[in-house]
Amino acid sequence: MKKLFALVLVFALLVSISAASAKDVVVAFSQIGQESDWRTANTDDLRNAIEGHAGWKLVYDDAQQKQENQIKALRNFITQDVDYILFTGVVSTGWDEVLKEVNEAEIPLLLIDRIPDCADKIDYVAAFGGDFVEEGRRQIAWAGEYLKSIGKGDVDVNIVIMEGTTGASAQTGRTEGNLKALKEYPHLKLVGQQSGNFTRAEGQAVMESWLKSIDKIDVLIAQNDDMALGAIDAIKAAGKVPGKDIIIVGCDSVKAAFDAIVAGEMNATIECTPLYGKFVVPTIEALIRGEKFDKTVVHPEEGVFDMDGGIDLGTVKSIKAADVIATRQY
Ligand code: GZL
């Protein structure tokens, strides 16, 4: 009888161990929305990486670009007691309270893409995001160096800056980089600055209004490629030649921008990779092993792509888009 009892006990123990080890690692992801090709690529890459990992399960929320939806999602993740939370904020402010609740629930938080202003006041286990100020600098530097390369470095030209979602760290960072770099190129005269909210439709609408209200636009700096592509539609509808009548510099380096550059309708795009799966998966695997990371925001290596290559921006030299378009992953 005692032997039977011992056998049953051992069996029950084995079942409980196997059940525990079989428990999925639940990774929750609060995504901003689907406003751009970049965002779609970012979502697809992270979903595939997490859902494709043995023993992991993804809990995904699309906030449709509304902060209140992201706050609700984060609170739902807490209620579900998920194992890890991935978070990128639609805007930089207004996250202190809910991210402190995540900390109090002791759910490890990974910050990706847009880092919240309260980052230095909360706990997070790792962070990955673009260097938005450098990306903004590169946009202006590319325009200034390109104009020099065609002998127009000393000619006053009118430049407009189409900003991303107002208050997003990608917008505030790129604008900071844009405006700081303009001081290095005094012949670039800023004649327009307005948000296109990172969407193609709003980029087209802003460009349409600028073409009616501003006498002469020589250069468009669009803080993402989707807005640049919308502006190209407006420029063509106005009977002008994009890439020639108006020099167009985007940001993100999505496939549609490469297509536009190769077609001669766009001049350059500054890379900002959306492919964070290759950072997030190994980081969570390491965290499961008990490894720790510091609060440094890891910036991926990023390039600049344009019509002909060879434009030296100090930290990077541009590459001819046509030479690498076949290798692009997003
Ligand atoms: C940048 C990212 C921005 C992209 C836009 O890391 O937050 O948001 O530049 C996207 O295309 O909408």
Side-chain angles (χ1 to χ4, degrees), residues 204-223:
Q204 179 172 353
V206 169
M207 196 69 207
E208 280 166 358
S209 72
W210 274 342
L211 287 167
K212 290 182 188 125
S213 59
I214 299 174
D215 287 344
K216 190 170 181 305
I217 298 172
D218 302 298
V219 179
L220 163 65
I221 301 292
Q223 290 181 353

Side-chain angles (χ1 to χ4, degrees), residues 32 35-39 88 113-114 130 132 135 170 174 198 223-226 251-252 272-273 276:
I32 289 170
E35 74 281 2
S36 61
D37 289 0
W38 188 100
R39 188 66 51 198
T88 175
D113 179 21
R114 302 182 192 174
F132 302 133
E135 291 164 5
R174 287 171 188 162
F198 281 140
Q223 290 181 353
N224 85 333
D225 293 332
D226 292 65
C251 191
D252 286 348
C272 172
T273 183
Y276 283 127

